[in-house]
Amino acid sequence: MTTAADILNTARSRANEGMPYAGAVTPEEAYALLQVDAAVKLVDVRTNAERDWVGRTDIADTQHGAVQWATYPGGVPNPDFLAQLASCAGKDEVLLFLCRSGVRSRHAAKLATENGYTNCYDILEGFEGDKDADGHRKQVGGWCKAGLPWLGA
Protein backbone atom coordinates (compact mmCIF):
# COMPACT_ATOMS: atom_id res chain seq x y z
CA MET A 1 0.00 0.00 0.00
CA THR A 2 1.29 3.43 -0.94
CA THR A 3 1.44 5.80 2.01
CA ALA A 4 1.19 9.58 2.14
CA ALA A 5 4.90 9.69 3.01
CA ASP A 6 5.75 7.62 -0.10
CA ILE A 7 3.77 9.94 -2.37
CA LEU A 8 5.24 13.09 -0.82
CA ASN A 9 8.78 11.71 -1.07
CA THR A 10 8.25 11.11 -4.78
CA ALA A 11 6.77 14.60 -5.16
CA ARG A 12 9.70 16.18 -3.31
CA SER A 13 12.19 14.34 -5.52
CA ARG A 14 10.69 16.23 -8.47
CA ALA A 15 11.50 19.51 -6.70
CA ASN A 16 15.17 18.75 -7.34
CA GLU A 17 14.39 19.74 -10.93
CA GLY A 18 14.40 23.41 -9.89
CA MET A 19 10.88 23.89 -8.56
CA PRO A 20 10.54 26.83 -6.16
CA TYR A 21 8.02 24.92 -3.99
CA ALA A 22 7.92 21.58 -2.17
CA GLY A 23 7.29 19.38 -5.22
CA ALA A 24 4.84 18.08 -7.79
CA VAL A 25 2.39 15.20 -7.99
CA THR A 26 0.69 13.50 -10.89
CA PRO A 27 -3.11 13.61 -10.87
CA GLU A 28 -3.16 9.96 -9.78
CA GLU A 29 -0.75 10.68 -6.92
CA ALA A 30 -2.82 13.70 -5.87
CA TYR A 31 -5.99 11.62 -5.71
CA ALA A 32 -4.24 8.81 -3.81
CA LEU A 33 -2.83 11.34 -1.33
CA LEU A 34 -6.28 12.85 -0.79
CA GLN A 35 -7.62 9.34 -0.12
CA VAL A 36 -4.98 8.32 2.43
CA ASP A 37 -4.67 11.62 4.31
CA ALA A 38 -7.83 13.58 5.18
CA ALA A 39 -5.72 16.60 6.19
CA VAL A 40 -4.45 17.17 2.63
CA LYS A 41 -6.20 19.95 0.69
CA LEU A 42 -6.67 20.44 -3.02
CA VAL A 43 -6.73 24.13 -3.95
CA ASP A 44 -8.37 24.67 -7.33
CA VAL A 45 -7.02 27.93 -8.75
CA ARG A 46 -9.12 27.94 -11.92
CA THR A 47 -11.76 30.62 -12.36
CA ASN A 48 -15.25 30.14 -10.98
CA ALA A 49 -16.43 30.04 -14.61
CA GLU A 50 -14.08 27.14 -15.41
CA ARG A 51 -15.35 25.14 -12.46
CA ASP A 52 -18.97 25.93 -13.37
CA TRP A 53 -18.70 25.35 -17.13
CA VAL A 54 -15.98 22.69 -17.45
CA GLY A 55 -16.29 20.70 -14.24
CA ARG A 56 -14.56 20.15 -10.94
CA THR A 57 -12.99 17.38 -8.94
CA ASP A 58 -15.33 15.17 -6.98
CA ILE A 59 -13.61 15.14 -3.62
CA ALA A 60 -14.86 15.90 -0.13
CA ASP A 61 -15.66 19.56 0.50
CA THR A 62 -13.46 19.41 3.61
CA GLN A 63 -10.47 18.71 1.36
CA HIS A 64 -11.33 21.19 -1.37
CA GLY A 65 -10.60 24.89 -1.61
CA ALA A 66 -11.31 27.20 -4.52
CA VAL A 67 -9.19 30.32 -4.88
CA GLN A 68 -9.08 31.95 -8.32
CA TRP A 69 -5.56 32.76 -9.51
CA ALA A 70 -7.05 35.14 -12.08
CA THR A 71 -10.55 36.49 -12.34
CA TYR A 72 -13.12 35.98 -15.06
CA PRO A 73 -13.75 37.72 -17.34
CA GLY A 74 -10.51 39.35 -18.33
CA GLY A 75 -7.95 37.09 -16.67
CA VAL A 76 -6.84 39.83 -14.30
CA PRO A 77 -4.66 38.52 -11.45
CA ASN A 78 -6.71 38.06 -8.30
CA PRO A 79 -5.48 40.77 -5.90
CA ASP A 80 -6.99 38.85 -2.97
CA PHE A 81 -5.40 35.50 -3.78
CA LEU A 82 -3.29 35.26 -0.60
CA ALA A 83 -6.09 36.46 1.69
CA GLN A 84 -8.51 33.98 0.15
CA LEU A 85 -5.94 31.19 0.41
CA ALA A 86 -5.47 32.00 4.10
CA SER A 87 -9.21 31.65 4.63
CA CYS A 88 -9.24 28.05 3.39
CA ALA A 89 -5.77 26.69 4.17
CA GLY A 90 -3.21 26.76 6.93
CA LYS A 91 0.44 27.54 6.30
CA ASP A 92 1.58 24.09 7.45
CA GLU A 93 -1.05 22.03 5.62
CA VAL A 94 -0.17 19.95 2.58
CA LEU A 95 -1.67 21.90 -0.32
CA LEU A 96 -2.12 20.49 -3.82
CA PHE A 97 -2.65 23.26 -6.38
CA LEU A 98 -4.74 22.46 -9.48
CA CYS A 99 -5.52 24.48 -12.61
CA ARG A 100 -6.51 23.59 -16.19
CA SER A 101 -3.15 22.36 -17.49
CA GLY A 102 -0.56 22.95 -14.77
CA VAL A 103 0.61 26.52 -15.43
CA ARG A 104 -1.38 28.68 -12.99
CA SER A 105 -1.03 26.02 -10.31
CA ARG A 106 2.77 26.29 -10.52
CA HIS A 107 2.54 30.07 -10.08
CA ALA A 108 0.14 29.66 -7.15
CA ALA A 109 2.39 27.08 -5.44
CA LYS A 110 5.39 29.38 -5.89
CA LEU A 111 3.59 32.46 -4.52
CA ALA A 112 2.18 30.53 -1.57
CA THR A 113 5.64 29.15 -0.76
CA GLU A 114 7.14 32.64 -0.94
CA ASN A 115 4.51 33.72 1.59
CA GLY A 116 5.19 31.10 4.23
CA TYR A 117 3.17 28.08 3.11
CA THR A 118 5.57 25.21 3.69
CA ASN A 119 4.01 22.24 1.87
CA CYS A 120 2.90 23.41 -1.57
CA TYR A 121 2.68 20.95 -4.45
CA ASP A 122 1.71 21.44 -8.06
CA ILE A 123 -0.60 18.89 -9.68
CA LEU A 124 1.11 18.16 -12.97
CA GLU A 125 -1.03 18.22 -16.13
CA GLY A 126 -3.90 19.98 -14.30
CA PHE A 127 -7.59 19.17 -14.57
CA GLU A 128 -7.88 19.01 -18.37
CA GLY A 129 -4.29 18.47 -19.56
CA ASP A 130 -2.75 19.87 -22.71
CA LYS A 131 -4.54 20.21 -26.03
CA ASP A 132 -4.41 17.30 -28.46
CA ALA A 133 -3.61 17.68 -32.17
CA ASP A 134 -7.19 18.84 -32.80
CA GLY A 135 -7.08 21.46 -30.04
CA HIS A 136 -9.22 19.50 -27.58
CA ARG A 137 -8.47 19.00 -23.90
CA LYS A 138 -9.13 16.01 -21.60
CA GLN A 139 -7.41 13.74 -24.14
CA VAL A 140 -3.72 14.29 -23.24
CA GLY A 141 -3.01 14.06 -19.53
CA GLY A 142 -4.79 15.64 -16.61
CA TRP A 143 -7.24 14.69 -13.85
CA CYS A 144 -10.08 13.89 -16.29
CA LYS A 145 -7.96 11.83 -18.70
CA ALA A 146 -6.67 9.80 -15.72
CA GLY A 147 -10.25 8.75 -15.01
CA LEU A 148 -10.31 10.33 -11.57
CA PRO A 149 -13.68 11.38 -10.10
CA TRP A 150 -15.04 14.67 -11.36
CA LEU A 151 -18.35 16.37 -11.81
CA GLY A 152 -19.17 17.71 -15.25
CA ALA A 153 -20.82 20.98 -16.00
Side-chain angles (χ1 to χ4, degrees):
M1 178 178 163
T2 303
T3 66
D6 294 335
I7 296 167
L8 291 175
N9 284 336
T10 299
R12 284 196 274 297
S13 72
R14 292 184 185 111
N16 293 333
E17 299 169 14
M19 294 175 184
Y21 39 85
V25 293
T26 65
E28 296 89 349
E29 290 167 343
Y31 184 70
L33 189 55
L34 289 158
Q35 298 305 297
V36 299
D37 188 343
V40 173
K41 282 209 173 134
L42 184 146
V43 180
D44 191 333
V45 301
R46 295 176 300 147
T47 64
N48 294 336
E50 286 175 287
R51 284 188 295 279
D52 290 347
W53 297 339
V54 177
R56 63 181 181 84
T57 60
D58 187 13
I59 60 170
D61 287 344
T62 57
Q63 287 185 284
H64 183 270
V67 182
Q68 298 180 104
W69 177 253
T71 60
Y72 177 85
V76 176
N78 178 0
D80 299 320
F81 178 82
L82 288 170
Q84 292 169 2
L85 180 61
S87 73
C88 75
K91 290 202 172 189
D92 293 325
E93 289 182 284
V94 174
L95 304 178
L96 309 177
F97 289 89
L98 176 75
C99 68
R100 179 183 59 204
S101 62
V103 176
R104 288 172 286 176
S105 56
R106 287 193 300 262
H107 293 299
K110 179 180 184 289
L111 181 65
T113 299
E114 290 168 348
N115 283 274
Y117 291 84
T118 58
N119 294 295
C120 298
Y121 296 85
D122 175 35
I123 299 178
L124 300 167
E125 303 171 6
F127 184 72
E128 295 182 82
D130 289 330
K131 292 180 181 177
D132 66 13
D134 295 321
H136 301 119
R137 294 192 186 270
K138 297 183 182 172
Q139 305 299 314
V140 181
W143 186 278
C144 297
K145 170 70 173 155
L148 301 172
W150 65 283
L151 303 170

